[in-house]
Amino acid sequence: MAKVSEFFGINVFNDAVMKERLPKETYEILKSTIKEGKSLDSSIADIVADAMKEWAIEKGATHYTHWFQPLTGITAEKHDSFINPTDDGHIVMEFSGKELIKGEPDASSFPSGGLRATFEARGYTAWDPSSYAFIKDKTLCIPTAFCSFSGEALDQKTPLLRSMEAINKQALRVVRALGYTDVKRTNTTVGPEQEYFLIDKELYDKRPDLMYCGRTLIGCMPPKGQEMDDHYFGVLKPRVAEFMRELDNELWKLGVLAKTEHNEAAPAQHELAPVFTTTNIAADHNQLTMEFMKKVALSKGLVCLLHEKPYDGVNGSGKHNNWSISTDTGVNFLKAGKNPSENKLFLITLSAVIEAVDKHQDLLRIAVATAGNDHRLGGNEAPPAIISIFLGEDLTDMLEAISKGIHYDDMKRQKMKIGADVIPEFKKDNADRNRTSPFAFTGNKFEFRMLGSASSISDTNVMLNTMVADVFSNYALRLENATDVASEVNAIVKECIENHKRIIFNGDGYSKEWEIEAEKRGLLNLPSTVDALPLLKTEENVALFERHGVFNRAEIDSRVDIILENYAKIIHIEALTLIDMMGRDVIPAITSYTSSMCEAANNKKIIGVDNSVEMELVARLTAANKEIFSLTSILKGAVASAERSTDTFEKACEYRNNILKIMADIRKYADSAESVMPKNYWPYPSYGDLLFKI
Ligand code: ADP
Ligand code: MG
């Protein structure tokens, strides 16, 4: 087996390849284009396209595609081959700069939320030179943004790139005002930890709910769930270990910095964490990671479940968005260093994040709002739907001291704590306790933990970047005009703590007391997607996004529409699946079992043996079956009524308020039936099989 260092990035048209294959001048122009986030001069696109094509063909590629992320949540591709006919009946392999820079997929079936009138239904894709092209399935994939003809964003990448520009602009002002004069560019960085479940493919194929919805709609808990926690960091099962090994290899070839693979809290649940990188690349890589998780699993007779809540009563899956910002000279804004109380950039950034998160709790909640994630937020282990920040005691004390004008001795505090002269930097202290915080400071970054496992990380980072950019722009103005920068920094910290202290919470975020306390503090608690989404359209939010050129009003309206539409669609499919499962499998199974019990009861009666057990079972199951039968027809009616609704928001509300509730009722009866029925009568593999047979 080849060494990893020999095949890492082998399928990526990365910097080394560009340097080797492009004329020096072209390379330099492209490089500075990428580094400074400028748009590419079209005159050099032809040269780059040709080099890309030659490289791709040598690696066996025959096609190219503009690889983009429409608002469906997955990636889209339209493959074109390189071939072009010649006059003499032969072909040449061609790829022009024009084809590299711009594509026109037939995009009429991608959601646009009304942004793209049908007469201009095509939309176009535009090359993002800051994310490297790569080869996958014999196809040269070119990361692109996807817009309408009038330039409105129809995808995840466009607003993400805009938000990176927005924060860069303001962050540059901040660092310059603080005396970092050599900085040319700042970049937000992200390391997304990705959770997922694996399941045996044969068992998966027997569950229509998993196949159509990605989650189980019924299923009673096995005697053993996750209470033993013996799976967490346990030894990997051979089949899983093999899956992880191959996944790592595939990702490494694509230059994805897959770093840590381990078990998670629930049985059959695992996590992959990459080394952090620039945000738009991290977002692209996370999409690739999810795609390859599914693909590699299938090749091993497994299925990878990315749904946020595949099983009731077991931890769901999320993503942790580790976020920071650093300069092109290598300074991490959130690295505290040895004297955090005197580290101006650190203090300013910390304050900016605290202020931004407090002011824009709604945006963070909106960023993670999906039908799947609604099952998880507030559930077991996962963060509640309330946003708060964990800083740890040391940092909180330090900020309090600064805000009260008390001198904070970094040294003394640390010495007292550890009884030594060695001064450790701020660490992610109380790492166990802070697992309950949705937004935690963990060393040199903030970790937002509310994301759902299936979503793109783009939305979250669009919000984070924009809201921090906005606070930075206010701070920058103050610092630029300050006569004494150091005392202005302290004044900013002071005001931030005075005004936004309520968002800081170092305690147990899962406790009931916190919900009560959070309400007293006036923090938002938005339990579902339909509660959260409409807030994106408030005048304040529209103004924020327009101010920083991230979204315009039309884009915001269309996004809200698409997300709510999607929400309703998902629950619609779930309801239809449940109706089908009940009508065709569960009801007949219960009937069949009860009739065999009736037969047994009858036989016993004939020979004069006690048949009370059979009679009782028949009575209980018949009652459950009757409920299931009548609830199923109620569900059918409710779905029909919701589908008649022409207003997207109203429709989503019907799904949330009525349909999910009826589905939960059906589940209750189905699960109680399952718990007393023999295996050979129950139509589906049990939770026990799904979770432990791998
Ligand atoms: P833990 O596993 O305890 O959550 P780690 O230090 O292993 O913490 O980091 C988790 C993730 O955070 C990794 O993906 C890592 O690359 C990422 N990370 C570390 N530093 C930064 C940073 N400055 N910016 C963004 N992400 C970071
Ligand atoms: Mg983490």
Side-chain angles (χ1 to χ4, degrees), residues 239-369:
R239 213 170 158 198
V240 173
E242 208 187 301
F243 160 84
M244 288 182 177
R245 208 163 24 243
E246 187 164 330
L247 177 61
D248 280 342
N249 280 340
E250 290 301 316
L251 292 175
W252 288 337
K253 284 189 216 159
L254 289 167
V256 177
L257 294 156
K259 173 93 173 165
T260 329
E261 298 254 20
H262 64 74
N263 289 351
E264 262 300 319
Q269 191 186 29
H270 310 280
E271 181 189 286
L272 182 148
V275 178
F276 70 95
T277 180
T278 313
T279 306
N280 68 321
I281 295 172
D284 285 354
H285 281 182
N286 183 248
Q287 293 297 129
L288 278 176
T289 299
M290 292 194 286
E291 184 181 330
F292 274 83
M293 280 178 167
K294 296 202 153 174
K295 214 187 218 165
V296 173
L298 279 179
S299 77
K300 304 277 173 222
L302 298 165
V303 174
C304 171
L305 303 177
L306 290 172
H307 194 284
E308 286 80 6
K309 197 73 181 173
Y311 307 105
D312 234 36
V314 172
N315 276 359
S317 300
K319 251 189 259 239
H320 291 179
N321 191 81
N322 293 274
W323 178 96
S324 188
I325 171 166
S326 56
T327 66
D328 57 353
T329 54
V331 180
N332 177 352
F333 285 46
L334 284 169
K335 189 173 157 70
K338 289 189 178 154
N339 292 309
S341 68
E342 278 157 34
N343 181 341
K344 296 189 207 73
L345 183 58
F346 174 68
L347 292 175
I348 281 295
T349 312
L350 201 58
S351 301
V353 173
I354 293 168
E355 181 170 338
V357 172
D358 185 35
K359 275 186 177 163
H360 305 289
Q361 299 160 45
D362 55 345
L363 295 183
L364 286 176
R365 176 63 184 95
I366 288 163
V368 300

